[in-house]
Amino acid sequence: MTTGQAAQLLVAEVTYRKDYTEDIFVLRLKTNHPYAFKAGQYCTLGIGEVERAYSIVSAPDEKEIELIIELVHNGEMTPLMHKLKVGDKMSCRPRAKGIFTLDEKLKNHVMLATVTGVAPYISILRYYNTHPKEGHNFYVFYGGSYADELVYHKEFSDMAMKMPNLKYFATISRPTEERNKGWNGYKGRVNVLADLTVPSWQLDAKTTMFYACGHPGMIENVKEKFKARGYQVKEERFWKE
Ligand SMILES: Cc1cc2nc3c(=O)[nH]c(=O)nc-3n(C[C@H](O)[C@H](O)[C@H](O)COP(=O)(O)OP(=O)(O)OC[C@H]3O[C@@H](n4cnc5c(N)ncnc54)[C@H](O)[C@@H]3O)c2cc1C
C-alpha cells in the first residue's frame, strides 16, 4: 500500500462484541467516516501491518459494520482480532469490494454457507426485507459442525416465518457429539443436504443462481454438482486449502 492510500484508511472502532463459541465471535464496528457497500460485499480490515477481507453481515443502511469472525489459531489476523474489546480500533480500507451480491435479474437464489460464510446472505436478506421486491425466491442452506456455530440460525428461522419466499435449512455435520445434544434439525454436510433437496424443486437453470460461501471444499462440491446440471454458481472462498 502507498502512503497516499494509507492516508485514506478509515478508523473502525469496536462498539459491540459477542462470543458464541471459543472461536466464533461477532463484532460491530463504527467507522469515522461513512462507509458505503452493497449487500454481499466485503471490507478490508487491518491491525498494524496485517490486513484481511471480511464479508459484511449488516445491511448497507445499518449504521455499523457487523462481522462474524472465526479464530484461526495459527493465523496472523484473527488472534489479534480475538483480543479486541469494545473501544479498540482497527483500520478499514475506504472502499468495500466484491461481486458476491444478489443477482436481481434472476428469480431463484440458492444460498449455501458454512459457519462464517453466512455473512453475505444475512446482509442480502436483511436488506431485501427492508427493500422488498417482487418475484424472488430464496433457499438458504446453513451448515456447521456444531449447532452453537450457527449464530444466525434464529434470525433466519424468524425471517422464514415472515417471508413465504424464503425456505431455510440448517444442518450440523457432527450430530453424535455431546456439544450437539438437543439438536433436532437436519444432520450432515450442507452441500449434501442441498444436493438431496434442491433437485426435487426442479428449478429452471436459466432463472436460478447458486451462491456458495465459506469452506473451499464445500464450494468445490457445489460447483461440481450443480454446474454439471447447468446452473450458474457464484462463489466467495474464504481461504485456500
Ligand atoms: C472475500 C473474503 C471474505 C471473507 N470473510 C470472512 C468472514 O466473514 N469471516 C471470517 O472469519 N473470515 C473471512 N474471510 C477469511 C479472512 O480474510 C482470513 O483469511 C481469516 O480470518 C484468517 O485470517 P488469519 O490472518 O487469522 O489467518 P491466515 O494467517 O491468513 O491463515 C492461516 C492459515 O489458515 C488457513 N485459514 C484461513 N481461514 C481459515 C478458516 N476459517 N478455517 C480454516 N483455515 C483457515 C489459511 O489458508 C492459512 O493456511 C474472508 C476471506 C475473503 C477472501
Side-chain angles (χ1 to χ4, degrees):
M1 190 189 299
T2 65
T3 317
Q5 282 172 314
Q8 295 163 21
L9 289 176
L10 306 181
V11 178
E13 182 177 332
V14 179
T15 60
Y16 171 94
R17 172 180 176 140
K18 183 166 177 184
D19 290 74
Y20 285 83
T21 71
E22 278 181 15
D23 299 337
I24 301 208
F25 57 108
V26 166
L27 295 178
R28 284 195 209 126
L29 307 173
K30 188 175 171 196
T31 50
N32 61 333
H33 292 291
Y35 183 77
F37 64 94
K38 291 185 192 144
Q41 285 194 306
Y42 65 88
C43 56
T44 308
L45 299 173
I47 299 179
E49 297 298 303
V50 190
E51 275 191 325
R52 294 287 185 274
Y54 292 95
S55 292
I56 303 170
V57 174
S58 34
D61 46 8
E62 288 179 51
K63 288 199 172 63
E64 296 180 331
I65 299 173
E66 184 172 325
L67 307 168
I68 174 167
I69 313 291
E70 177 163 9
L71 171 65
V72 177
H73 289 271
N74 65 339
E76 277 191 79
M77 180 69 163
T78 51
L80 300 175
M81 290 177 92
H82 199 249
K83 292 193 183 117
L84 291 172
K85 304 179 297 297
V86 168
D88 288 343
K89 295 184 172 87
M90 310 176 77
S91 67
C92 176
R93 289 204 185 194
R95 248 185 267 158
K97 291 203 173 149
I99 53 168
F100 198 75
T101 50
L102 187 70
D103 198 330
E104 288 186 5
K105 296 188 300 297
L106 298 178
K107 181 176 164 202
N108 303 312
H109 303 274
V110 185
M111 300 168 158
L112 287 93
T114 51
V115 190
T116 50
V118 71
Y121 308 140
I122 287 286
S123 181
I124 288 168
L125 284 162
R126 278 187 191 170
Y127 192 71
Y128 193 89
N129 260 312
T130 52
H131 304 78
K133 301 210 166 88
E134 293 285 306
H136 294 111
N137 298 317
F138 299 95
Y139 307 87
V140 173
F141 291 86
Y142 185 17
S145 301
Y146 302 100
D148 56 10
E149 294 177 336
L150 304 182
V151 167
Y152 294 96
H153 179 51
K154 178 162 188 327
E155 184 165 344
F156 275 132
S157 304
D158 290 349
M159 273 191 214
M161 302 274 279
K162 288 185 210 134
M163 289 175 73
N165 58 340
L166 168 63
K167 283 190 166 71
Y168 170 60
F169 303 83
T171 182
I172 50 155
S173 61
R174 298 184 188 176
T176 55
E177 292 199 21
E178 183 63 20
R179 192 169 148 189
N180 280 325
K181 207 174 163 200
W183 175 258
N184 54 12
Y186 291 97
K187 292 161 192 163
R189 290 189 188 277
V190 72
N191 45 300
V192 175
L193 179 63
D195 191 29
L196 291 171
T197 313
V198 178
S200 67
W201 300 329
Q202 300 188 325
L203 301 177
D204 179 2
K206 286 197 205 71
T207 57
T208 302
M209 178 64 80
F210 275 73
Y211 304 78
C213 185
H215 193 294
M218 180 275 282
I219 294 172
E220 279 312 310
N221 186 268
V222 170
K223 283 165 65 181
E224 186 189 318
K225 290 267 157 51
F226 290 99
K227 277 192 164 179
R229 294 175 193 148
Y231 291 106
Q232 304 173 72
V233 181
K234 272 196 188 192
E235 65 178 83
E236 193 77 286
R237 202 173 282 246
F238 279 4
W239 74 96
K240 293 193 181 100
E241 277 194 314

